Amino acid sequence: MYLNCHTYYSLRFGTFSELALLELARENEVTRLALTDINNTSACLNFVRRAADYGIHPILGIDFRNGATACFVGIARNNEGYRELNEFLSEHLHQEKKIPKRAPVFQHAYVIYPFEKVLLNDQHHFLDHEYIGISVTDLRRLPFSRLIEYKDKLVLLQPVTFRNKRDFNAHRLLRAIDNNLLLSKLPKEEEASFEERMFPVRNLAQVFSEYPFILQNTERLMQTCSIHFDFSKNRKPQNLSTYLDNKEADEKLLEELCHKGLPYRYPEVDKRIRERLTKELQLIKEKEFVSYFLINWDIVSEARKRNFYYVGRGSGANSIVAYLLRITDVDPIELDLYFERFINLYRTNPPDFDIDFSWKDRGEITQYIFDRFQHVSLLGTYVTFKSRGVIRELGKVFGLPKAEIDFLCDGHYKPSELDEVSLLVLKYGNLIKDMPNYLSIHAGGILISERPLHYFSATHMPPKGFPTTQFDMVIAEDVGLYKFDILGQRGLAKIKEAIQILALNQPGEYATIDIHDIKKFKEDPHINNMIKSAQCMGCFYVESPAMRMLLKKLEVDTYLGLVAASSIIRPGVAQSGMMREYILRHRNPGRAEEKGHPVMLDIMPETYGVMVYQEDVIKVAHYFAGLTLGEADVLRRGMSGKYRSREEFQKVKDKFVDNCRKKGYKDSLIDEIWHQVASFAGYAFAKGHSASYAVESYQSLFLRAYYPLEYLVAVLNNGGGFYRSEFYVHEARMLGATVHAPCINKSMAVNCIYEKEIYLGFMYLKELEGRVMDRILKERQAHGVFTSLEDFLDRVLISIEQLSILIRINAFRFTEINKHELLWEAHLFLSKGNAIDHPKLFPPAHQDFEIPRLHTTDLEMAFTQLELLGFCLCSPFCLLKEPLKNTHGSSDLPDYLNRYIDLYGYLVTVKNTKTHNGKRMNFATLVDQHGEVFDTVLFPPVAAQYFFRGRGIYRFYGKVVSEFGFLSIEVIKMQKQDYIQDPRYADMKTANKKDPYAKAETKRNVRDEEVT
């Protein structure tokens, strides 16, 4: 009897989930129930999926509102009516239009106007599908209203928003957050009445006993409503079923494309390749996944036409068909990739392709997909209220000052220290924690459906400008909609831009390279030696300190070794202790036979019997524990966190243990193997995924090996990588580049290179306005370089504040005039806050000013660079207050093995972690005074005594240790070193002081930036 029920997907309004609503209905003996969230359909599919479990007949609808103001409720008679409602809502969400007072004429949906709205809008005429809704509170006014005459049109419309007072309190907090108001200032019209609750059916019937026709009308309306979605195990996929006109044409095209791709991928096609291809094609056809492959082929083919770089990864790399269609660049024959991880007879959902594009190209390829196919939408997701966000929002609602909100967010307090309001924030925060806050977009999921997606959900329009479903990937898969993953990453953009830069800086070299010649790169000894020595700064997925450490420990110098390392570094393997065991077995082959179980060694000989990849979970479950492939895939999916049914997962886990016991394995062995399996929860890579990453790593390593400066410029232009930009600048300098601060005549918005001269881009000057950059570059391109400050001011419209930034960074150094003198000159030309109305038709005559001779020290320039760029272009060791006490560096570590060393380091990055018993420890990477990298570890006793206090230079005393050949320092003492006082603000006259540290550089310091 309830036609207007809200869940917490009535965002910042409702207060409980769709399952809680079903449970509430069961408690109140309700057998038919309509879910009508406010301008939202996020919960609808799961509501229908689970309704039968609660013995309830589900009905779907939408409560159409403008803000908190109700307009009307739409109730779907059937799936077509649900589509109509979704299309109507989507149109208004996309175009940000207000919901009108009167609903359109729906063919398969009912419209119910609330009693109050009918009176306010003075409605007198109603179509056959339109009704008037009467709530419990409306009954008091009904006898005295003209609407009592519309007996055939009156239905029961009792809104359900709360279960109890607790829900009501949460609702008021949500409404205050939504309106950005203090709770005390929240208007009554912005919140719902506490009477919006569910009552037992018998009570409701008693209240409306004087108006039996209302109950009869309501019952009659609800009995005509039926909604159905197939959530059965053997459900039919809802994705686009055919790429061409029919399945036969699709199958023929797929076979043709595969045979066309054979010569490109395999110069010699042997029996093994043909058998694998036949097996895959047969299974793909049998599982009706042909269109899925062809759609992905269409997308990557278009990408190649547009010269977009992409990487096909995920379990799709296990398929030779995907390899032949050039969806992936991983040869499954070479790597012996386990095809059953990708597709098996028990798999109902299509295979998973993740296709990475450059972050610059992703939007364009997404637009192509929307243009190319008819029924397309991005996949939605929900951003929920998390602890800190809740505190910030409720802190504002309760009127706390920002400082007190920050204090609560930090969490370093005792409840006894807090005042009453702060305690209220924490108390009420639990009411809304983990509720949906707003709709967002899945990281890369795109749905391409056979039918309009409005059959399943309304769509909204996020800032990206593409329609997006109001449900997430889990329920999408449940109903048979499987996503295409189109992702964006910066690594591909770095590779593509490096080649573009190479075309300009070394056109002869550019003509000789093929970045897709992966086979050649795999066999290149120079590249493999770089991997072995971990010289991988800036290279995709292999540049982090942890990866650098692992590569050295494993002495990786092959593609297959890098594939394994890419997965071993993942938390699942590392946390289980198997990363260390893998290294031990790799360096001592006899250990595998000594420690490994024969079955495990037989299953995974390539990885010494250690589980490294996701496929290994399937292998172990199937061969070690005797599960079927289907059961093994349930286990694997459950481990990855993508499986909805935890009950089914638990059954498979229990069978795993039971089967192992039946095989006679000891409980200790079963527990050990299960612990290894369980450690993979959500973390391990598919082997094909690791192999795909390794391909991209080799591409970036090739560029880093042979064209390092061009590549590092591309890295910088795409936001850097694992490290801060200054360390890629440092790396370029160590590789022979001369790095210059931004220059008016040489720099672009991004970094640029002329042979070995790198000019930093204007983008590093954070306070320089984009429009000023554009003016400078357009004027320089149109009329040539600037010849003087006066020439610049005649041609470029600029304020004194913006001009000062350019002068201070010495962007006018080509004039050979000291920047202090230029600043005086600029102020004389431009009055503060005013810009000259230039360019002028004729160059103006300038008055000559006599300006005193001024000087700039290197130290002044370094501190200015620190302020404006975020880093200085000289060695940071030149800024120390006290001279260095020794010249020790990374190269000295082998001589001090198992001995103590005293050395200085400029902090690159720190990893804060905890031991198994929860104590804090640190791993830090630093650059020594000679520009080389070294690593330190602070174990808990030292970490408790010494803290890293931000960027800067630290002096360490510790023991040099080696683990599998990787040298690091176990720190005993640490002290941060002071910089010299900023000379720009020191009590000295710049013109008369000499730089006291002009000769402080050691012989291997890179030279300072030129200043006049």
Side-chain angles (χ1 to χ4, degrees), residues 508-562:
E509 288 291 320
Y510 166 76
T512 65
I513 66 170
D514 177 6
I515 197 63
H516 301 292
D517 191 357
I518 307 300
K519 185 177 181 181
K520 178 182 174 183
F521 301 161
K522 293 176 187 175
E523 298 167 354
D524 190 317
H526 183 26
I527 295 175
N528 287 323
N529 284 332
M530 275 179 56
I531 299 171
K532 188 174 182 179
S533 59
Q535 300 299 312
C536 306
M537 172 75 85
C539 296
F540 177 75
Y541 206 73
V542 291
E543 65 167 333
S544 71
M547 194 66 178
R548 186 168 52 83
M549 175 180 68
L550 180 61
L551 293 176
K552 282 191 175 182
K553 288 179 179 179
L554 287 173
E555 298 177 321
V556 172
D557 60 355
T558 64
Y559 170 67
L560 292 177
L562 188 59

Side-chain angles (χ1 to χ4, degrees), residues 629-648:
L629 285 173
E631 290 168 334
D633 198 47
V634 168
L635 193 68
R636 194 269 311 167
R637 284 170 63 80
M639 288 296 178
S640 68
K642 294 180 181 178
Y643 211 78
R644 179 188 282 282
S645 174
R646 307 312 298 175
E647 294 175 13
E648 188 170 354

Side-chain angles (χ1 to χ4, degrees), residues 293-307:
F293 275 81
L294 291 176
I295 291 168
N296 278 288
W297 166 78
D298 183 290
I299 293 168
V300 298
S301 298
E302 182 65 24
R304 288 198 304 277
K305 288 177 187 175
R306 302 189 187 200
N307 197 29

Side-chain angles (χ1 to χ4, degrees), residues 83 91 110 303 367 403 429 613 659 688 830 856 905 922 934 955 980:
R83 177 188 59 79
E91 178 189 351
Y110 299 113
Q367 185 64 61
Y613 308 110
N659 284 9
L830 299 176
T856 305
N922 306 117
F934 68 94
R955 185 180 182 184
I980 190 172

Side-chain angles (χ1 to χ4, degrees), residues 29-296:
E29 301 176 341
V30 174
T31 56
R32 290 179 182 271
L33 186 71
L35 172 64
T36 57
D37 273 317
I38 298 170
N39 296 351
N40 190 292
T41 58
S42 296
C44 289
L45 291 175
N46 200 42
F47 176 77
V48 173
R49 189 179 80 92
R50 293 298 303 274
D53 299 343
Y54 295 84
I56 289 170
H57 180 87
I59 299 170
L60 295 183
I62 299 172
D63 188 344
F64 292 97
R65 300 195 182 194
N66 291 313
T69 305
C71 298
F72 49 85
V73 175
I75 300 292
R77 276 183 19 224
N78 47 38
N79 288 64
E80 285 295 331
Y82 182 55
R83 177 188 59 79
E84 283 185 287
L85 296 176
N86 285 331
E87 286 179 349
F88 176 72
L89 176 60
S90 301
E91 178 189 351
H92 286 76
L93 293 178
H94 291 192
Q95 300 177 24
E96 297 183 349
K97 296 194 301 186
K98 279 194 168 188
I99 303 295
K101 292 179 181 179
R102 292 298 298 260
V105 179
F106 295 122
Q107 300 301 315
H108 302 276
Y110 299 113
V111 173
I112 306 173
Y113 294 98
F115 175 82
E116 187 68 33
K117 283 294 165 187
V118 174
L119 296 176
L120 283 174
N121 297 337
D122 197 23
Q123 291 176 237
H124 292 272
H125 304 288
F126 299 90
L127 301 176
D128 290 344
H129 69 289
E130 294 182 324
Y131 292 86
I132 303 167
I134 308 296
S135 69
V136 171
T137 54
D138 294 331
L139 280 178
R140 293 190 294 268
R141 299 172 58 193
L142 182 60
F144 311 104
S145 165
R146 63 178 175 83
L147 300 186
I148 192 67
E149 300 173 7
Y150 294 86
K151 288 189 177 183
D152 293 341
K153 291 294 182 184
L154 298 179
V155 294
L156 197 162
L157 191 70
Q158 170 62 24
V160 177
T161 308
F162 317 116
R163 294 166 296 186
N164 46 42
K165 183 69 173 177
R166 185 177 185 272
D167 284 349
F168 183 66
N169 290 335
H171 165 78
R172 294 191 68 238
L173 294 172
L174 290 168
R175 297 308 300 139
I177 290 171
D178 192 49
N179 286 276
N180 197 26
L181 291 170
L182 292 171
L183 187 60
S184 58
K185 300 288 186 182
L186 182 67
K188 282 295 177 187
E189 57 268 22
E190 281 295 323
E191 62 183 68
S193 165
F194 182 57
E195 297 303 314
E196 294 191 5
R197 287 172 292 151
M198 188 178 285
F199 306 102
V201 171
R202 66 173 72 92
N203 294 10
L204 207 59
Q206 186 177 355
V207 170
F208 279 83
S209 59
E210 293 183 32
Y211 308 98
F213 55 88
I214 295 181
L215 297 177
Q216 292 163 6
N217 293 342
T218 308
E219 185 68 24
R220 192 162 47 247
L221 183 151
M222 297 184 84
Q223 284 181 350
T224 63
C225 295
S226 179
I227 197 90
H228 175 74
F229 294 100
D230 187 1
F231 295 103
S232 66
K233 190 173 184 179
N234 297 316
R235 63 190 174 274
K236 181 181 177 182
Q238 299 296 318
N239 286 43
L240 184 61
S241 60
T242 59
Y243 176 74
L244 298 175
D245 296 332
N246 54 65
K247 290 183 179 179
E248 291 73 22
D250 279 3
E251 291 176 1
K252 182 180 178 183
L253 175 60
L254 183 63
E255 288 191 14
E256 288 175 355
L257 291 171
C258 287
H259 288 101
K260 185 179 177 182
L262 276 171
Y264 176 78
R265 292 301 197 186
Y266 299 103
E268 296 181 10
V269 181
D270 58 21
K271 181 181 177 183
R272 184 184 178 195
I273 293 169
R274 292 195 182 279
E275 287 180 351
R276 174 70 176 255
L277 178 58
T278 302
K279 172 187 174 183
E280 287 197 21
L281 284 173
Q282 182 179 343
L283 195 51
I284 290 166
K285 292 173 188 176
E286 188 176 338
K287 300 302 294 181
E288 298 186 347
F289 296 155
V290 175
S291 65
Y292 196 83
F293 275 81
L294 291 176
I295 291 168
N296 278 288

